[in-house]
Amino acid sequence: MNILKMKITHLFVALSVLFLGVVSCDDKDKHYDPDTSVISEYTLMDLINQNDDLSVFASMIEAIGYDSVLNSSQSYTVWAPVNDALADVDITDLDQVEEIVNNHIARFVKSASGAVNERVFMNNTKLLTFKGGSGVYYLEDAQLVSLNTVGKNGVLHTINSRVPFFQNIWEYLNTPGLDSIRDYLYSFNKKEFDPSASDEIDINEEGFTVYDSVFIESNEMWYAYFSSTRGIGWINSEDSIYTMIIPSNQAWIEAYDRIFPYFVNNMAQGKDSIQNLNTKYAIVKDLVFRGEVNPNLYGEADSLSSTRFGLFYDPQYLFENAEKIDASNGMIYLQNESLKNKSWESWNPTIKMEAEFSAANRQILNPTQVNTGVTGINYYNDAPEISNGGTFYVEAAANNTNLAPEVTFEIPNTLAGAYDIYCVFAPDILAKPAAPKMGKVRFEIQQKTRRGTDNWLPIASGGGMGGEIIPANNVIDTIQMTKMLVYENFKLPYANYNESENTIRLKVISKLSQGDTNKGFGNRMNIDCIIFEPVH
């Protein structure tokens, strides 16, 4: 979060900018007391003006009106570049001048003495390294040529070269040609007045209260570590290190057109806007990685995880033909072609539903048949082949073993596309070790109609009316795990992504043929999980 100090009169806001959009106030000054051991009659601005080799830097400071700040009582450290280091600067370009000046000034006194190795927040919020010892010191790679000239409001060092200014990843999105991704990510910007942190400081001529006010800037796309948001990382922060693949407008449009059909939905209202928003999120969700990524260090056996948990194997391919750009908080790979991430490693992953953890999305059908039967959740500490160690067990009523138990599992976050669908069963010997039986199952793939009554109807591949699916091998083994292929290349007609209700479910039916009970079969199922695996 960024805290902006502003004055607000009643409900109307007037910005009073000191520099970089931040206004200091008296209440904050008490945190920046100058070093009481410093004794000098000259301010930092006086010291800069007195040094002929700093005349260009002095002109730059005056050009942006910052001389008044360096004449103030607040304490600063200035690393002033000598004239030769600023020979290529256009002093009429005030934006560049402001970048340079604030990249060489920091609050508090930073002396070059003893061993130093410190990350320093500069006035533009950039974190630069001040380091050295034994009389040789550097700000980043710029060497100090004179040290510790003391002023009454801080200390002045001179350096032999200019410290380059790097935008952070969030700032770099303002680069021309990145409008598409910038407009999407910046659309989540919020700035809210924080009354609890604001002080009443005056009454204006109209009788309204004037506040020394705190505003909080936020954006939900920063909050990668909060489950309630879909954030991709603190790419605005100077004290976090990230790597981001940034698509140009051309690459964004290509990705949008390719992904958009996967998110078509059958919502009654707002279907187009939801499809649009889901497509844009799919583009950005796996573009950010923690730390600085060097793709040349990854081999075929390696993997790389995004901040949104997309897992990419042999990840060098993600960065192919991208331009590498240094940022103040990490690395940028600018992609002018197309985004390389494979759909099944990113926005269209395998969906796995654990049967035992699906109470909210699980329904036992025909309750008059099952109420007197046995249902429950089983955990097996000694069966590592079982996913997450648990299953959902159901069997027919003891007084009518011919009745078929049926269970449905709603499947969240499906896309419009093709899936190989599996149902995994644990062997009956785990639940009934004394008398295990084989099982026979059938399935229905059902879709919610969303036509007022919200009926669940069986669908065939492609979305037409369907019926029961009987796999070629529909027998559940008594001793081994059974990963049963329900349907290969089943095409779902609509997406159901990031919605409050699910519209696709799998119905699992234990159904025996006449005479099966005499062949070692029982009407029961020990269901481990459901898998919807996107077709590559």
Side-chain angles (χ1 to χ4, degrees):
M1 294 184 294
N2 298 322
I3 299 181
L4 304 181
K5 299 295 295 180
M6 304 180 204
K7 291 187 176 182
I8 180 170
T9 302
H10 205 46
L11 295 178
F12 298 93
V13 181
L15 297 180
S16 196
V17 180
L18 178 60
F19 66 98
L20 288 179
V22 179
V23 176
S24 301
C25 65
D26 292 339
D27 183 58
K28 288 290 184 186
D29 290 347
K30 64 188 179 184
H31 299 293
Y32 305 124
D33 294 334
D35 187 341
T36 56
S37 66
V38 173
I39 301 174
S40 174
E41 61 180 305
Y42 298 112
T43 65
L44 288 170
M45 195 66 219
D46 293 333
L47 296 175
I48 292 170
N49 282 326
Q50 290 167 13
N51 189 331
D52 292 339
D53 206 24
L54 301 180
S55 59
V56 175
F57 192 61
S59 298
M60 293 170 66
I61 292 171
E62 292 170 356
I64 61 171
Y66 208 71
D67 49 327
S68 61
V69 175
L70 295 184
N71 279 322
S72 72
S73 60
Q74 298 182 22
S75 57
Y76 294 90
T77 298
V78 180
W79 291 265
V82 297
N83 290 341
D84 289 346
L86 301 170
D88 61 338
V89 177
D90 178 4
I91 298 183
T92 64
D93 184 350
L94 297 184
D95 289 337
Q96 183 190 26
V97 167
E98 187 172 4
E99 284 180 357
I100 294 171
V101 169
N102 284 300
N103 206 42
H104 291 82
I105 300 173
R107 294 305 308 268
F108 309 114
V109 172
K110 305 294 181 182
S111 298
S113 60
V116 176
N117 188 5
E118 181 181 0
R119 296 277 280 169
V120 178
F121 270 109
M122 310 309 287
N123 274 8
N124 56 8
T125 73
K126 302 300 176 184
L127 267 171
L128 301 182
T129 301
F130 183 34
K131 59 191 176 183
S134 302
V136 180
Y137 297 89
Y138 297 86
L139 182 66
E140 294 291 315
D141 294 327
Q143 185 174 349
L144 277 62
V145 294
S146 69
L147 321 176
N148 301 330
T149 303
V150 176
K152 66 180 181 181
N153 61 340
V155 62
L156 171 68
H157 311 295
T158 63
I159 53 179
N160 65 357
S161 60
R162 185 169 90 229
V163 177
F165 172 83
F166 294 105
Q167 294 176 310
N168 65 38
I169 297 171
W170 188 253
E171 293 167 335
Y172 185 82
L173 294 173
N174 283 302
T175 302
L178 304 180
D179 313 64
S180 298
I181 187 170
R182 177 181 64 247
D183 290 349
Y184 173 67
L185 292 178
Y186 281 21
S187 70
F188 296 97
N189 284 342
K190 288 184 179 180
K191 185 169 65 179
E192 298 176 317
F193 173 55
D194 185 356
S196 64
S198 304
D199 299 321
E200 297 181 9
I201 58 173
D202 202 358
I203 301 294
N204 68 11
E205 295 178 354
E206 288 77 26
F208 295 124
T209 301
V210 177
Y211 290 92
D212 184 14
S213 305
V214 173
F215 280 76
I216 306 298
E217 285 188 338
S218 63
N219 185 301
E220 72 173 82
M221 298 305 286
W222 296 339
Y223 300 93
Y225 308 107
F226 291 75
S227 60
S228 59
T229 68
R230 300 194 291 170
I232 57 176
W234 298 96
I235 56 176
N236 64 310
S237 173
E238 295 294 336
D239 57 356
S240 299
I241 301 297
Y242 290 98
T243 295
M244 183 173 185
I245 299 171
I246 297 182
S248 66
N249 289 342
Q250 176 183 339
W252 176 277
I253 292 169
E254 185 281 330
Y256 186 92
D257 291 343
R258 173 166 45 91
I259 296 172
F260 187 73
Y262 285 85
F263 288 93
V264 63
N265 63 78
N266 65 340
M267 296 180 67
Q269 295 180 334
K271 57 185 299 182
D272 294 336
S273 62
I274 293 297
Q275 185 179 5
N276 173 61
L277 290 174
N278 284 335
T279 300
K280 290 178 177 179
Y281 182 70
I283 296 173
V284 304
K285 71 176 289 289
D286 290 311
L287 297 179
V288 180
F289 308 88
R290 294 178 183 86
E292 291 189 355
V293 175
N294 181 351
N296 296 322
L297 299 180
Y298 289 88
E300 293 182 3
D302 296 319
S303 63
L304 178 65
S305 177
S306 75
T307 55
R308 292 311 306 179
F309 319 113
L311 189 60
F312 300 91
Y313 296 94
D314 191 13
Q316 284 190 10
Y317 80 91
L318 295 171
F319 305 90
E320 289 177 357
N321 302 324
E323 178 187 358
K324 180 181 175 183
I325 298 168
D326 290 327
S328 63
N329 61 346
M331 302 298 305
I332 293 166
Y333 287 86
L334 180 61
Q335 184 55 264
N336 286 301
E337 297 181 354
S338 60
L339 294 175
K340 311 296 184 183
N341 51 319
K342 298 168 185 173
S343 62
W344 57 92
E345 290 185 332
S346 179
W347 43 268
N348 188 19
T350 295
I351 302 169
K352 188 175 184 181
M353 286 287 295
E354 294 293 340
E356 72 276 15
F357 294 153
S358 306
N361 299 322
R362 183 180 62 226
Q363 182 180 2
I364 302 171
L365 301 179
N366 301 321
T368 56
Q369 298 178 9
V370 179
N371 274 349
T372 57
V374 178
T375 61
I377 296 172
N378 294 326
Y379 291 97
Y380 305 96
N381 295 326
D382 57 349
E385 66 274 21
I386 292 178
S387 175
N388 278 309
T391 64
F392 183 75
Y393 176 79
V394 57
E395 69 175 337
N399 60 349
N400 194 342
T401 56
N402 292 322
L403 295 178
E406 301 177 359
V407 187
T408 64
F409 297 89
E410 296 178 17
I411 313 299
N413 293 325
T414 53
L415 301 188
Y419 291 89
D420 292 337
I421 300 173
Y422 299 89
C423 187
V424 182
F425 299 90
D428 195 51
I429 194 170
L430 294 177
K432 302 282 188 176
K437 292 182 179 292
M438 295 181 292
K440 274 190 178 180
V441 287
R442 302 181 183 189
F443 303 90
E444 283 183 9
I445 299 167
Q446 301 179 338
Q447 180 175 286
K448 186 177 287 188
T449 59
R450 286 182 164 177
R451 295 172 184 167
T453 56
D454 281 346
N455 293 324
W456 289 93
L457 298 178
I459 58 171
S461 177
M465 292 299 295
E468 283 189 345
I469 299 167
I470 305 176
N473 184 359
N474 69 330
V475 175
I476 303 171
D477 197 287
T478 57
I479 299 175
Q480 303 294 327
M481 297 289 294
T482 302
K483 183 179 181 181
M484 190 176 296
L485 177 62
V486 177
Y487 203 107
E488 184 176 14
N489 199 30
F490 190 94
K491 296 177 177 65
L492 295 179
Y494 299 110
N496 178 228
Y497 182 79
N498 196 35
E499 296 184 36
S500 59
E501 62 174 358
N502 300 316
T503 60
I504 295 294
R505 72 183 187 182
L506 180 68
K507 182 178 180 181
V508 188
I509 309 162
S510 173
K511 194 167 186 179
L512 303 182
S513 301
Q514 188 175 8
D516 279 341
T517 55
N518 299 322
K519 300 175 184 178
F521 287 91
N523 251 329
R524 55 206 196 200
M525 304 178 290
N526 205 9
I527 305 171
D528 182 12
C529 61
I530 312 296
I531 299 173
F532 274 52
E533 187 174 283
V535 176
H536 299 180

